[in-house]
Amino acid sequence: MDAANESSEGRPFILLGLTTSPGQRRPLFMLFLGLYVASILGNGLIVAAIRASPALHAPMYFLLAHLSFADLCFISVTVPKMLANLLAHNRSISLAGCLTQMYFFFALGVTDSCLLAAVAYDRYVAIRHPLHYATRMSRAVCTALVGTAWLVSHLHSLLHILLMARLSFYASHRVPHFFCDHQPLLRLSCSDTRHIQPLIFTEGAAVVVTPFLLILASYGAIAAVVLRLPSAFGRLRAASTCGSHLAVVGLFYGTVIAVYFQPTSRYEAEQGCVATVIYTVGTPLLNPVIYSLWNRDVQGALRDLFTGRRISVVDS
């Protein structure tokens, strides 16, 4: 028991990463470096284009700019450290660094979740109530939605970290993951986590399942309108757009639920790593493509951004 209670504050954690095989580290480094750069460029360009173009100051683009910014920050919480560890011999991280990474990971992940719900609600209002769209999705409403997303996410993350900071850990600090996630850390804890796990599960369900259900309800209502469109081409185009949105949403929430909504005793490190890569790297990469880069107005704003021409509302 003395070994189990060995001070966890002075002993760093060792992040084992995606692989322990030296021969796989460099190919994985090149792969994830490319994905990271693509995600940063995609999300960064969308934020820049929306800010630079007055034609993209509609409520939908205001929400998409915040979604892209959240994605840009979200992927930057874990991937740079993962890339460094793929090439470094010392893959340690202090307890303070671990909790800091975990705080921003959960805060930005929940922000992403809430903003996805806000974008879905925006599309619902635009299609179901087009005559009232300007009032129901005014700048004040959009600002309130975004502000609520950031506030709720940081409160959730703060509670999470306060609970995790109370734990003690076994002498072995080898974390079978590429970042400090709470599931593998709970497995390393020698503290009694029976009271923590139900609280994390319940509170996590509130900030993950609730936005997911709102998204499904919004797109369900949109589908009812789409099916009544007189044009077969219009139905096909709308169905294609909604389908791509739902595919990304399903990928994000499906992997999140698979990783976190299970008892710690059933958590498998290898499967958890693979699923975590999907929503930490895959969704920040896909979101700008699905939500923005297929949009003609965004494409036009990006062209104007590259050519140095400032687009006006009249031009659009």
Side-chain angles (χ1 to χ4, degrees):
M1 192 64 184
D2 292 337
N5 288 323
E6 182 175 321
S7 174
S8 60
E9 294 183 1
R11 185 180 179 89
F13 291 99
I14 306 299
L15 297 173
L16 299 182
L18 293 173
T19 181
T20 56
S21 172
Q24 295 178 352
R25 288 178 186 170
R26 191 168 294 276
L28 285 174
F29 174 85
M30 298 304 297
L31 171 64
F32 283 101
L33 177 63
L35 294 175
Y36 178 65
V37 170
S39 180
I40 293 296
L41 287 176
N43 286 292
L45 285 173
I46 287 171
V47 173
I50 291 175
R51 287 183 59 86
S53 174
L56 298 184
H57 285 183
M60 178 181 72
Y61 299 113
F62 177 80
L63 296 173
L64 289 177
H66 279 273
L67 178 62
S68 289
F69 178 72
D71 280 334
L72 188 153
C73 297
F74 183 50
I75 195 173
S76 297
V77 171
T78 57
V79 174
K81 178 65 175 174
M82 178 184 70
L83 292 173
N85 287 346
L86 283 171
L87 297 182
H89 294 290
N90 181 10
R91 300 188 294 277
S92 64
I93 183 171
S94 66
L95 176 62
C98 196
L99 292 177
T100 300
Q101 185 185 53
M102 191 185 299
Y103 175 86
F104 285 105
F105 174 78
F106 283 112
L108 291 163
V110 174
T111 300
D112 228 29
S113 174
C114 294
L115 289 176
L116 286 172
V119 171
Y121 175 72
D122 172 82
R123 294 298 82 208
Y124 161 76
V125 174
I127 293 175
R128 288 298 299 265
H129 307 284
L131 298 180
H132 303 286
Y133 179 74
T135 54
R136 293 195 179 189
M137 294 302 297
S138 64
R139 178 50 67 96
V141 172
C142 290
T143 302
L145 288 173
V146 170
T148 300
W150 286 99
L151 177 62
V152 167
S153 64
H154 281 277
L155 289 176
H156 160 76
S157 189
L158 180 61
L159 174 61
H160 205 96
I161 296 307
L162 289 176
L163 292 173
M164 296 296 294
R166 296 169 60 89
L167 300 179
S168 298
F169 298 93
Y170 287 107
S172 175
H173 280 45
R174 295 167 67 85
V175 182
H177 215 308
F178 62 90
F179 75 101
C180 289
D181 203 0
H182 86 267
Q183 286 280 37
L185 287 184
L186 286 175
R187 294 287 294 269
L188 293 177
S189 174
C190 57
S191 302
D192 184 2
T193 61
R194 287 177 297 178
H195 65 289
I196 293 180
Q197 292 187 51
L199 183 58
I200 289 177
F201 183 88
T202 304
E203 198 265 338
V207 297
V208 173
V209 177
T210 301
F212 182 46
L213 293 177
L214 289 173
I215 292 172
L216 293 181
S218 297
Y219 280 108
I222 291 171
V225 176
V226 169
L227 292 175
R228 293 198 298 267
L229 291 176
S231 168
F233 176 75
R235 290 195 300 270
L236 181 62
R237 182 176 179 181
S240 175
T241 300
C242 291
S244 60
H245 289 187
L246 284 174
V248 174
V249 166
L251 189 68
F252 178 78
Y253 285 99
T255 50
V256 166
I257 291 172
V259 171
Y260 296 110
F261 290 83
Q262 61 175 312
T264 303
S265 58
R266 295 178 56 189
Y267 177 79
E268 295 290 339
E270 186 174 348
Q271 296 176 0
C273 278
V274 173
T276 305
V277 165
I278 293 174
Y279 66 81
T280 56
V281 180
T283 52
L285 182 64
L286 291 175
N287 277 343
V289 177
I290 299 298
Y291 284 98
S292 300
L293 295 180
W294 283 0
N295 184 291
R296 292 182 180 179
D297 292 333
V298 174
Q299 291 174 2
L302 287 172
R303 283 195 297 269
D304 292 325
L305 188 67
F306 283 123
T307 58
R309 174 175 173 268
R310 186 175 178 84
I311 189 171
S312 66
V313 178
V314 176
D315 293 335
S316 64

